[in-house]
Amino acid sequence: MSFTDLRQRPPPGEYDASLLWLTITLLALGSVMVYSASIAIAEGSRFTGNQPTYYLVRHGAYVAISAACALVVFQVPLTVWQRAAPWLFMLGLTLLVLVLVPGIGREINGSRRWLSLYFANFQPSELMKLFVVVYAADYTVRKAGYMHSLRRGFLPMFVVMLLTGWLLLREPDFGAFAVIAVIAMGILFLGGMNWRLFAGLIVMLVAAFLLLIVTSPYRLQRVLGFMDPWADPYGKGYQLSHALIAFGRGEWLGVGLGGSVEKLFYLPEAHTDFLLAVTAEELGFAGVAAIIVIFAWLVARAFAIGRRAVLLERHFPALVAQGIGLWIGVQAIVNMGVNMGMLPTKGLTLPLMSFGGSAIAATCCAIAVLLRIDWENRQLMRGLNV
C-alpha cells in the first residue's frame, strides 16, 4: 500500500474498534482472574480485613481510574506529545529520583519502587515506560540526519538510557530497566539507526546485563533458580516450581474457574506477577493460548497503525505506535516466559491483566495514545479523499 493507495481509499471509520475491544477483553478477563487468584489470600489476611472481595474492589477502582485517564489522554494531539517529550522525560527522571529519597519513596519487600499517594501506591517506573516511548520517538525524528553517527546519533541516547538504568537499578527494578532498554533500542532501530551501531549497542547491553547478573548475588540466585527450580524447591526455586505445577494441573482445559489449588497460599504473588499460572491452572492450555492470541493481535494492530502513519508521512506518531507495540509485546512475553519457567523471575506484571494500579493506568494511557494516532490517521485520510 502506497501513499497514492491511501488517497484512493474511501474514508475509514472513526477509530480502530478491534484495538478497543481487545483492550476491554484483557481488562475484563484480568478482573475475573485477579478475583479468582486473590480471594483466598484476601479472606485469610488481617491486612484486608478478611474481605474476599478486597483485591477485586481495588482492581475495579484501578480500572475505572485508568479508563478515565485514558479518555483524557485521547484528547491530546500527537503534536502536543512531541513538544512535551523532553519535559515528560525529565518529569519521569525526577520521579525516579524521588523514589530513592528516604521518607518519600516507599519500600516494599526490599525494593524501593513506590511513592505513596495515601489512598494507593504509585510506581513511577510504569509511567516512565510511556515517557521513554515518546522521548525516544521524538529524539529519533529530531536526529534523523545523524542516525549513522556514533557521536551525534548514538551517544546522547546511550548516556540518557544509562542514567535511567542506573536509577532503576538502585530501586532495584531490573525488569523495568530491561523493558525500557528494549523500547529505546527498538525505536532507534525502526527510526533508521546504522545497523553496525545497533549491533554494537546490543553487544554492549548483553555484556552489561551479564555483568549485572554476575556481580549481584540476588540476581545470580534468581538465574540459577530458574535454570533448575527443582534443585531447591523450598528455597530459591519455590515460586517457579509452584508456577510449573499450576501449568501442569491445568492440562488442556483447566480445572475450572475458581478451582486452582496453587492460589491457596502456595504460589506467591498469584494475583500479580504469576496471574498467568493461576489462569493456566483454571482455564488450561486453551485459556493461555487465547490470551497469547489476544496480545499478538493487539501488538499487530499497534504496528499496523504505525505503518499507516509512516505512509502518511507522520513519522513521530508512527514511532510512538510501534514503540507502544514493542512495550506491550515485550512485557507480555517476559511475564509469560517467567510464568512458564523460560525466563528468570522478574517483577513484571502481565499488561492490562495483573493487579496493580500504576501498570494498568500507564498501559491504558498508552492504548489511548494508540487510538489517538489511529484517529488522526483516519482524519487525515478523509481529508485526502475530499
Side-chain angles (χ1 to χ4, degrees):
M1 184 171 61
S2 66
F3 185 78
T4 304
D5 295 329
L6 286 174
R7 296 191 62 176
Q8 294 173 348
R9 291 185 171 222
E14 289 294 328
Y15 64 94
D16 190 327
S18 63
L19 177 61
L20 182 61
W21 281 109
L22 289 169
T23 304
I24 292 173
T25 300
L26 288 173
L27 288 171
L29 181 58
S31 298
V32 172
M33 294 313 304
V34 163
Y35 180 47
S36 178
S38 66
I39 186 170
I41 301 172
E43 276 187 321
S45 173
R46 292 182 180 179
F47 172 76
T48 64
N50 304 110
Q51 295 294 320
T53 59
Y54 177 84
Y55 290 104
L56 174 64
V57 171
R58 291 179 71 86
H59 187 78
Y62 293 151
V63 171
I65 293 171
S66 299
C69 291
L71 286 173
V72 174
V73 168
F74 180 77
Q75 309 302 319
V76 181
L78 266 295
T79 52
V80 174
W81 284 101
Q82 188 169 9
R83 288 196 299 269
W87 302 106
L88 291 174
F89 187 76
M90 291 299 296
L91 172 62
L93 287 178
T94 303
L95 292 174
L96 292 181
V97 171
L98 288 176
V99 165
L100 301 174
V101 177
I104 298 179
R106 185 174 182 184
E107 185 174 332
I108 301 176
N109 296 330
S111 297
R112 189 181 292 273
R113 304 177 184 176
W114 295 268
L115 295 173
S116 177
L117 301 180
Y118 298 104
F119 61 91
N121 292 321
F122 168 64
Q123 190 171 353
S125 60
E126 294 294 339
L127 194 59
M128 190 62 173
K129 294 170 186 174
L130 177 58
F131 291 166
V132 166
V133 168
V134 176
Y135 177 76
D138 174 59
Y139 176 88
T140 304
V141 171
R142 284 189 289 108
K143 299 281 187 174
Y146 303 109
M147 283 293 104
H148 295 272
S149 169
L150 174 66
R151 184 175 64 87
R152 303 188 68 176
F154 168 74
L155 282 181
M157 177 59 78
F158 179 74
V159 171
V160 166
M161 287 299 106
L162 201 63
L163 174 61
T164 305
W166 180 76
L167 290 172
L168 288 170
L169 292 175
R170 289 290 304 274
E171 297 183 4
D173 195 346
F174 187 77
F177 172 50
V179 171
I180 285 174
V182 170
I183 290 170
M185 285 174 52
I187 290 176
L188 288 174
F189 178 74
L190 292 168
M193 172 175 273
N194 181 284
W195 70 268
R196 291 187 179 88
L197 291 178
F198 186 74
L201 177 60
I202 292 177
V203 171
M204 291 171 64
L205 283 174
V206 171
F209 283 145
L210 292 176
L211 183 63
L212 287 170
I213 291 170
V214 172
T215 56
S216 170
Y218 165 73
R219 296 190 187 99
L220 186 59
Q221 284 184 358
R222 280 197 166 190
V223 172
L224 295 176
F226 141 75
M227 294 175 68
D228 186 8
W230 308 111
D232 188 11
Y234 297 105
K236 59 188 177 185
Y238 179 81
Q239 200 168 27
L240 179 54
S241 62
H242 279 279
L244 294 175
I245 290 171
F247 271 88
R249 290 193 75 244
E251 297 185 351
W252 289 100
L253 299 177
V255 297
L257 188 62
S260 169
V261 171
E262 288 301 320
K263 69 183 181 184
L264 304 177
F265 303 98
Y266 293 105
L267 180 61
E269 308 297 336
H271 60 301
T272 56
D273 299 351
F274 282 84
L275 184 68
L276 187 70
V278 176
T279 304
E281 187 177 4
E282 296 189 351
L283 304 182
F285 174 81
V288 173
I291 291 172
I292 293 173
V293 169
I294 292 172
F295 273 110
W297 193 355
L298 191 152
V299 172
R301 291 309 310 150
F303 275 85
I305 291 170
R307 181 171 178 268
R308 191 179 295 274
V310 170
L311 293 172
L312 290 168
E313 299 181 358
R314 304 179 68 232
H315 301 295
F316 171 75
L319 290 174
V320 170
Q322 292 165 347
I324 291 172
L326 275 174
W327 162 17
I328 295 174
V330 168
Q331 184 160 329
I333 289 171
V334 171
N335 178 273
M336 292 175 185
V338 167
N339 276 255
M340 297 177 188
M342 299 172 67
L343 293 171
T345 304
K346 291 285 170 288
L348 285 175
T349 57
L350 190 59
L352 298 170
M353 290 189 64
S354 295
F355 179 83
S358 302
I360 293 175
T363 311
C364 284
C365 288
I367 296 295
V369 173
L370 259 181
L371 287 169
R372 176 72 193 199
I373 295 170
D374 178 67
W375 182 83
E376 291 184 1
N377 285 345
R378 293 168 188 251
Q379 296 304 308
L380 181 55
M381 290 172 64
R382 283 187 172 181
L384 292 174
N385 281 274
V386 174

